[in-house]
Amino acid sequence: MNARSPKAMRALFCWSLLLAVVGAAAQAQSPAYDVVIRGGRVLDGMGNPAVFTDLAIREGRIVALGRISGEAREEIDARGLWVAPGFIDMMDQSGSVLPRNGLAENKVRQGVTTAIGGEGGLPVPAEGAAEYFAELESSGISLNFGSYYSATQARVAVMGAVAGEATAEQIRSMQGHLDVAMRAGAMGMTTALIYPPSSFQGTAELVELARVPARYGAIYASHIRDEGRGLVAAVEEAIAVGEGAGLPVEIFHLKAAFQPGWGLLMEEAAVAIERARARGVDVAADVYPYTAGGTGLEATVPSWVFAEGVAKARELLADPEVRVRLKRELETGSEGWWNIVEAAGGWQNVVLVNARNPESSRFENRSIADIASELGRDPADVAWDLVLDGAGRVMAIYHMMSERDIRTALEQPWTSIGSDAGAALEPGKVDLLGLPHPRSYGTFPRVIARYVREMGVLTLEEAVRKMTSWPATRMRLIDRGAIREGVWADLVLFDFERIADMATWEDPVEFPVGIERVLVNGVTVVAGGRHTGERPGHVLYGPGRRLAEEGVPPFGGGAELPGDER
């Protein structure tokens, strides 16, 4: 064995010492943190009073709170601002647009850092869910996004978009579609029971389908069957599905949309929810802070017209004899249909906002009653002709709720906030639904500006809790929705005195003011009221994906997706 010479050993020692010194110097010069936010008034999202403190971020997570002495690559001066967890939109409609434009500018500029979509399900079939989520991760998104899968998607895949009671075999096939979606990462199952063909699904069928997400610890969320005269019964049906299948229930955009029931129905619905919660049902709801809803004008047509599919529905709707019956049912009601015209108090409160037809666009932003008066025609005929003439879904705003009921809903400790709006494909434009409603641009700032600062319905701490830790708790997002060490750094910095929703009924695509900075997973996506172009968002997966990876067998034991049995 050849021993090194003393000279060589000294050289080796000196070289090692030099490397150690250089490494230590480099480490000393490297900032301790990626981001430090200094001097802000910090709300933890849990409902506690604010504290003045610094906040440090490393590798996307909050790693320190208190007096931060170390330096950061990015220093943010938050003096004069409130710092809160990023807002969570519990009823988002961005599933179709995010693959085309992941910036979601109208969302993040409201302070929204997480969105839960899927009222109508995924924009792909169940077997395409895994690829859909993977493509979102690959293309990049500016906010965190998760999505439900719809029970109606499963039904249409098996039975088509028609009425009829499903057989036991058809239900098993629907369960197979749901199982594939849950194992791919869907966050739960949804329904939108005022819309055909979803309205053709009965409670018993829904309970059987909900057994699939229940098996994975997921959630059932519903646009319930009636938001007007039959609100309480519809709430109780949603509770029955959750109770029967053994899973949590989220009631989408809770509202009392029936003028004769203002001041009564919302309180009765709240009592029904409280009773269910008292006996152990995990049920809650989300709300948007506006007195008008928005949806397709075809919602004014009784559901039975769609029993044989859309093509047949168009044929029936054009038939003068059928219209005689439909007009009568506007007065008497129709089984299985929520009369949204009655809910709005008449055609004078139904406003056309997107005609999908150049010849009819001159009527936009006018009520159906006003248009009918000008034309000397029956309002129902005007509405249904607009539906038939539209190249796409004709959209309307329905003024049908009261401020008193919004306040009642917001005051419930179990309500969160959901916009019922999607990301816009282009900033300053309507969302992909084609519905120009101010909730697309103003929902979250409005909660603070109107219901905290102006009206005092909520404290700021409680409003922030409803938009952060509470929805995170509902969706089992254990490392989001709060400010504490170890969680993802989803943050919004706002000026309490300036924050305001600028979107109105007349100009529904105005961006809010007062949201000064937004961070998603520790990366700034909004600074000085402008989008930075960054896309640090994560795809959020439901519990079924993890359980599938851990080897839990599919629901019912079958490994393959059942085929289309139409």
Side-chain angles (χ1 to χ4, degrees):
M1 182 180 296
N2 294 325
R4 289 192 176 96
S5 68
K7 184 177 181 180
M9 291 295 290
R10 285 196 300 271
L12 180 61
F13 174 77
C14 291
W15 179 248
S16 300
L17 183 61
L18 178 62
L19 288 177
V21 170
V22 170
Q27 187 174 5
Q29 292 174 3
S30 177
Y33 306 108
D34 296 325
V35 181
V36 170
I37 300 173
R38 300 191 186 276
R41 196 169 184 174
V42 176
L43 289 161
D44 66 2
M46 311 293 285
N48 293 312
V51 295
F52 289 93
T53 188
D54 301 338
L55 182 158
I57 300 167
R58 187 190 303 122
E59 296 181 353
R61 293 182 182 267
I62 298 171
V63 295
L65 292 161
R67 181 66 63 86
I68 307 296
S69 58
E71 295 184 352
R73 291 187 178 88
E74 181 182 8
E75 297 269 342
I76 299 173
D77 183 355
R79 287 175 297 179
L81 300 177
W82 294 73
V83 182
F87 304 144
I88 298 175
D89 190 340
M90 279 290 276
M91 196 197 176
D92 173 74
Q93 301 279 8
S94 300
S96 295
V97 72
L98 290 178
R100 300 169 61 184
N101 182 353
L103 295 180
E105 186 161 348
N106 60 308
K107 289 303 183 86
V108 294
R109 285 180 60 177
Q110 291 185 59
V112 173
T113 59
T114 295
I116 310 298
E119 176 199 12
L122 290 163
V124 297
E127 60 269 31
E131 182 180 358
Y132 167 77
F133 290 133
E135 288 179 353
L136 281 183
E137 288 183 341
S138 176
S139 61
I141 49 180
S142 290
L143 42 57
N144 307 304
F145 178 76
S147 180
Y148 297 98
Y149 176 78
S150 169
T152 309
Q153 285 182 277
R155 180 182 167 100
V156 170
V158 173
M159 296 178 61
V162 297
E165 186 173 345
T167 65
E169 182 59 32
Q170 287 172 328
I171 287 175
R172 282 193 294 272
S173 293
M174 294 179 207
Q175 288 173 329
H177 286 269
L178 276 157
D179 190 69
V180 169
M182 294 303 111
R183 294 171 72 83
M187 304 198 83
M189 180 185 95
T190 54
T191 53
L193 296 173
I194 74 162
Y195 303 114
S198 187
S199 58
F200 303 139
Q201 295 183 282
T203 308
E205 177 182 318
L206 295 176
V207 170
E208 292 306 309
L209 297 183
R211 297 190 194 281
V212 180
R215 181 174 185 266
Y216 293 109
I219 193 169
Y220 169 58
S222 182
H223 180 153
I224 56 178
R225 203 177 296 274
D226 192 325
E227 297 177 321
R229 186 194 297 268
L231 171 64
V232 177
V235 166
E236 290 174 342
E237 181 190 28
I239 292 168
V241 172
E243 199 163 15
L247 79 172
V249 177
E250 178 74 12
I251 295 172
F252 280 147
H253 50 48
L254 179 64
K255 62 173 72 74
F258 180 58
Q259 204 169 56
W262 286 354
L264 299 173
L265 282 173
M266 181 61 75
E267 293 180 0
E268 292 173 7
V271 168
I273 291 171
E274 288 285 3
R275 285 175 178 165
R277 290 180 62 83
R279 66 175 185 266
V281 183
D282 185 358
V283 56
D286 52 73
V287 182
Y288 56 71
Y290 295 91
T291 57
T295 191
L297 194 56
E298 86 288 344
T300 64
V301 181
S303 298
W304 66 263
V305 173
F306 298 88
E308 297 179 61
V310 174
K312 182 64 175 178
R314 294 182 65 84
E315 179 184 324
L316 290 171
L317 193 57
D319 187 328
E321 293 186 8
V322 171
R323 287 200 180 185
V324 172
R325 174 183 171 181
L326 297 180
K327 290 174 187 176
R328 184 169 62 250
E329 289 176 345
L330 284 174
E331 303 297 326
T332 65
S334 175
E335 185 177 356
W337 172 61
W338 174 45
N339 188 341
I340 197 170
V341 181
E342 177 191 53
W347 291 107
Q348 69 274 12
N349 294 322
V350 181
V351 178
L352 176 70
V353 290
N354 191 342
R356 308 277 192 182
N357 183 322
E359 293 183 9
S360 304
S361 62
R362 65 188 179 94
F363 296 125
E364 289 175 356
N365 300 314
R366 295 173 61 186
S367 74
I368 299 298
D370 185 35
I371 299 166
S373 177
E374 177 184 320
L375 299 176
R377 302 184 62 210
D378 185 290
D381 286 321
V382 169
W384 299 335
D385 283 349
L386 285 166
V387 170
L388 292 174
D389 293 341
R393 193 179 185 201
V394 177
M395 306 302 286
I397 296 291
Y398 300 80
H399 293 273
M400 54 189 178
M401 287 88 80
S402 73
E403 277 286 357
R404 174 179 171 180
D405 287 334
I406 291 174
R407 292 196 300 270
T408 298
L410 286 173
E411 286 168 349
Q412 306 310 311
W414 35 259
T415 54
S416 56
I417 306 300
S419 70
D420 194 14
L425 190 60
E426 300 178 56
K429 303 291 185 182
V430 299
D431 65 18
L432 207 59
L433 298 175
L435 178 62
H437 191 300
R439 65 193 183 196
S440 298
Y441 283 72
T443 292
F444 290 83
R446 182 176 178 82
V447 170
I448 295 174
R450 181 168 178 79
Y451 293 96
V452 176
R453 190 181 64 216
E454 296 174 13
M455 299 178 67
V457 174
L458 301 171
T459 65
L460 181 57
E461 293 84 355
E462 176 65 0
V464 168
R465 185 190 70 85
K466 286 177 173 290
M467 299 190 287
T468 58
S469 69
W470 175 232
T473 299
R474 293 288 296 150
M475 302 309 298
R476 285 34 172 187
L477 303 175
I478 60 173
D479 52 2
R480 298 190 190 277
I483 292 180
R484 63 175 183 269
E485 291 183 12
V487 303
W488 289 105
D490 298 334
L491 302 166
V492 56
L493 284 65
F494 62 90
D495 183 334
F496 179 71
E497 298 302 325
R498 289 187 60 244
I499 190 171
D501 56 307
M502 306 303 289
T504 63
W505 301 114
E506 295 75 26
D507 193 356
V509 293
E510 281 292 311
F511 285 102
V513 296
I515 302 286
E516 300 301 327
R517 187 177 290 259
V518 179
L519 293 86
V520 176
N521 300 313
V523 177
T524 296
V525 295
V526 174
R530 297 185 178 277
H531 201 298
T532 64
E534 296 287 349
R535 302 182 184 215
H538 295 169
V539 172
L540 304 178
Y541 293 99
R545 184 172 186 256
R546 173 182 53 81
L547 292 173
E549 290 172 346
E550 292 175 356
V552 173
F555 182 88
E560 296 184 2
L561 179 68
D564 186 333
E565 300 180 8
R566 284 175 287 178

